[in-house]
Amino acid sequence: MLAPMRFKTYVWPHNPKTFETEYRRKIVQHRIPFSGIVSQNMGTDACVFRGEGEFAGKYAYKRFAELAAVFYEDSPGVLSHPMWPSATVYFTKLQLLQEPQLKQKK
């Protein structure tokens, strides 16, 4: 079993269903008259971590509210993932999607 993912003081009750790490390199292109295009490597951009998961059960909204409170803190923090080295990151997006659940007949 993997250790839980953490960010600052928040510990996920279950690790995200998906976790994506995106690395980018900034390439700029310059048009040279009568010569075509020259590409210039401007170095690496910020690394982006993206995940998706679910909160379910009796305490689902409470857990989401706790995570939202961490989101509203204005400072970066350490993100610890069980499979990747820890990194100091900014929490830039948090989204809630609520899907209706059908009641089962007894």
Side-chain angles (χ1 to χ4, degrees), residues 25-85:
R25 180 169 307 283
K26 182 73 174 171
I27 303 295
V28 212
Q29 295 183 329
H30 306 280
R31 292 192 182 274
I32 308 295
F34 311 109
S35 296
I37 296 173
V38 173
S39 296
Q40 182 179 6
N41 180 354
M42 301 300 286
T44 56
D45 247 349
C47 181
V48 176
F49 300 103
R50 194 175 290 115
E52 184 176 310
E54 299 171 352
F55 293 115
K58 183 177 179 180
Y59 300 106
Y61 288 107
K62 181 180 184 290
R63 290 182 178 137
F64 181 82
E66 290 168 352
L67 183 57
V70 175
F71 172 80
Y72 281 110
E73 294 174 9
D74 227 10
S75 59
V78 175
L79 175 67
S80 297
H81 185 279
M83 300 298 293
W84 302 102

Side-chain angles (χ1 to χ4, degrees), residues 6-9 70-79 87-92:
R6 320 169 150 265
F7 178 68
K8 291 185 175 182
T9 59
V70 175
F71 172 80
Y72 281 110
E73 294 174 9
D74 227 10
S75 59
V78 175
L79 175 67
T88 300
V89 302
Y90 281 94
F91 199 155
T92 59

